[in-house]
Amino acid sequence: MNKAALITTYCSLVLFGCTASPGPEPNANTANSSGAAGSAASTAQASPSPNPTPEKPDSTTSNPDSSKVVRVRFERGATEASYSKSFSGYGYVDFVFDARGGQILTAELVRSDGDHAILTVLKNDISVADDAAEVIGWTGELPANGTYTVRVGQMRNEARRSDRPVNFTIRISIVSEK
C-alpha cells in the first residue's frame, strides 16, 4: 500500500467511522475494487462494527421531501411567467431559469397566505445582491450569464411555529433593458 492510500484509509476511518473508501459520499457498504485501496477497504470492513445510522432531522434541519424545483418557462414572446405553489415548515420552492448578464429580473410574491412567504434570488447558491435576500420582491440587473434560482420559503421562526402549508403566487419577469 502506498503512503497516499494509507493516509486516505486512516483519515476515512477516523472521520467517517467504519468506512475506508475515499470519495464524496462515505458509505460503509461501498467497497472500492481497484488496487491497494480496494484491499484496504475490505480489510477495514472485515472487522465487525455497527453501520452508522443516519441522524434524524431536528427542528432546524429542513426536510428534503418538502422542497420542490420548478423550471421557469416563458410562453413564446413572453417575458413574464406566474406560478401558484405551496410549501410548509422548513420547505421551499426553487424556481430555476437561465439568463444573461445585464438582463433585468423582477421576482415578486403577488399573493401569500399571511405574508409568510419570502424570496431570495440566487446564483450558485449565493444571493445576487444584498437586497435580494429574504424579501417580498426584487428587481435588479443580473450580474452574469448562467443559471439563476429564485427560492421561496419562510423565515425560520415562522417555520418553527407551524407546519401548515403556505400558498403563494410568484411572478417572474426577465427583460433586456430597464
Side-chain angles (χ1 to χ4, degrees), residues 94-132:
D94 281 350
F95 295 90
V96 180
F97 55 91
D98 294 321
R100 293 185 313 274
Q103 287 185 310
I104 306 302
L105 168 70
T106 298
E108 63 180 328
L109 294 165
V110 293
R111 184 184 68 80
S112 170
D113 290 347
D115 295 325
H116 293 291
I118 55 173
L119 65 84
T120 300
V121 181
L122 306 164
K123 179 165 181 14
N124 300 327
D125 288 330
I126 299 170
S127 179
V128 297
D130 290 339
D131 63 345

Side-chain angles (χ1 to χ4, degrees), residues 56 94 141-142 158 165:
K56 291 183 179 179
D94 281 350
E141 186 175 324
L142 297 175
E158 293 294 330

Side-chain angles (χ1 to χ4, degrees), residues 89-90 116 154-164:
Y90 292 96
H116 293 291
Q154 64 183 328
M155 296 295 276
R156 188 172 168 181
N157 60 342
E158 293 294 330
R160 242 190 319 252
R161 287 186 193 138
S162 173
D163 202 29
R164 281 192 0 250

